[in-house]
């Protein structure tokens, strides 16, 4: 037995924080790639309320890993019971 009975909760919270940090890194990499792709291709023109914006051709599926890591981080970081 450990000295503190709540060590596993701290470990779970730590894992959650690491996963949240990895999510941010993943989001940054996707954003860098999206901006480079938009600069090279020019994007897809979209008309929104009379203003034309250039949208990236990058698939929204590139965001799945960051949201998965974020969700897993939330599960671990917000432990209310056992891990």
């Amino acid at each position: 037995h450990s000295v503190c009975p709540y060590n596993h909760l701290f470990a779970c919270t730590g894992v959650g924080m690491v996963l949240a940090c990895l999510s941010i890194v993943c989001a940054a990499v996707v954003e860098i790639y999206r901006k480079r792709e938009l600069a090279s291709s020019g994007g897809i023109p979209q008309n929104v309320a009379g203003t034309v914006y250039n949208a990236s051709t990058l698939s929204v599926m590139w965001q799945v890993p960051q949201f998965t890591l974020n969700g897993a981080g939330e599960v671990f970081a917000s432990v209310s019971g056992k891990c």
Side-chain angles (χ1 to χ4, degrees), residues 33-47 52-59:
Y33 182 70
R34 184 195 68 81
K35 286 180 125 181
R36 285 183 184 165
E37 185 278 328
L38 185 60
S40 67
S41 73
I44 301 169
Q46 290 184 335
N47 188 350
V52 177
Y53 296 98
N54 288 331
S56 174
T57 60
L58 193 65
S59 171

Side-chain angles (χ1 to χ4, degrees), residues 12-72:
C12 287
T13 303
V15 168
M17 293 294 125
V18 169
L19 290 173
C21 289
L22 289 174
S23 171
I24 293 169
V25 170
C26 184
V29 170
V30 170
E31 180 65 8
I32 290 168
Y33 182 70
R34 184 195 68 81
K35 286 180 125 181
R36 285 183 184 165
E37 185 278 328
L38 185 60
S40 67
S41 73
I44 301 169
Q46 290 184 335
N47 188 350
V48 179
T51 305
V52 177
Y53 296 98
N54 288 331
S56 174
T57 60
L58 193 65
S59 171
V60 72
M61 296 307 287
W62 281 96
Q63 294 181 355
V64 169
Q66 70 195 41
F67 283 108
T68 302
L69 286 170
N70 194 25

